[in-house]
Amino acid sequence: MKRVLDVLVLPGKWVGWLVLPLILSVCLTVLAARFGWNAFVRWDQSLPVIGQGITVNTLADLQWYIFAIMAIFGGVYAFRDGQHVSVDVFSAGLPHRVQLGLRLVGDLVFLLPFCAIIFWYGWSFALTSFNSGEGSTYGGLMDRWLIKSIIPIGFALLGIAAIVRAIATTGEILRPAPTDESNFE
């Protein structure tokens, strides 16, 4: 199960490197605002995603694209490592098996249906964007379906991670409790 989770978090590990272009984009946007620049480079032919140039709006779109990618794929990474938001404060004093049962219920009753709903609507959200050719109307990035497709992909990965963790949790619950050897001496 651990290997499956390790594969599911690979995009989260990879997108961590997007912090560097995010920082560069923010710095360029600040410089552009300071010096009154709007367009950095323009060309005649429209290129996929970029359009007909790199402007301040392109950089602004790039910033929220990167942030969205990092948040969605990073969420799967945080879930795998137990660094996500949880309500452990309510279950901290309960026996370990009860904690596991609550985690199992949370994963199957709350997280998995939520992931399924977001996947379903995210898929149609991205598909509508693709079919309409949605892009920036103010000189930013084009092909918005690419960033919108991150939503169903990320929540599919999170849903798979929830299933894997639920299977592992069920196995842990069903495993016989360890006996205390010191009682038999």
Side-chain angles (χ1 to χ4, degrees), residues 49-122:
V49 182
I50 298 174
Q52 291 184 311
I54 298 175
T55 66
V56 172
N57 293 332
T58 305
L59 296 178
D61 280 357
L62 183 64
Q63 290 165 23
W64 75 262
Y65 277 32
I66 290 173
F67 183 74
I69 292 167
M70 289 172 50
I72 288 178
F73 288 135
V76 179
Y77 200 0
F79 179 76
R80 194 261 333 243
D81 290 349
Q83 300 299 314
H84 59 290
V85 176
S86 62
V87 289
D88 294 340
V89 68
F90 298 116
S91 64
L94 299 174
H96 183 65
R97 286 190 187 271
V98 174
Q99 290 177 5
L100 291 173
L102 289 173
R103 181 169 78 183
L104 183 63
V105 168
D107 287 350
L108 295 178
V109 174
F110 296 108
L111 181 59
L112 199 54
F114 178 74
C115 289
I117 291 167
I118 298 299
F119 175 82
W120 178 259
Y121 285 105

Side-chain angles (χ1 to χ4, degrees), residues 105-151:
V105 168
D107 287 350
L108 295 178
V109 174
F110 296 108
L111 181 59
L112 199 54
F114 178 74
C115 289
I117 291 167
I118 298 299
F119 175 82
W120 178 259
Y121 285 105
W123 177 260
S124 63
F125 184 57
L127 191 58
T128 300
S129 180
F130 176 77
N131 288 334
S132 68
E134 182 183 8
S136 174
T137 57
Y138 54 87
L141 295 175
M142 306 307 291
D143 301 322
R144 288 257 167 94
W145 66 271
L146 286 170
I147 191 64
K148 290 181 177 186
S149 67
I150 295 299
I151 296 167

Side-chain angles (χ1 to χ4, degrees), residues 5-23:
L5 288 174
D6 289 344
V7 170
L8 293 173
V9 300
L10 280 177
K13 287 182 177 183
W14 295 333
V15 300
W17 287 99
L18 290 177
V19 166
L20 299 174
L22 178 62
I23 292 170

Side-chain angles (χ1 to χ4, degrees), residues 157-176:
L157 292 175
L158 184 58
I160 294 168
I163 292 168
V164 169
R165 187 168 89 165
I167 292 168
T169 302
T170 301
E172 198 172 342
I173 290 171
L174 296 176
R175 189 175 308 125

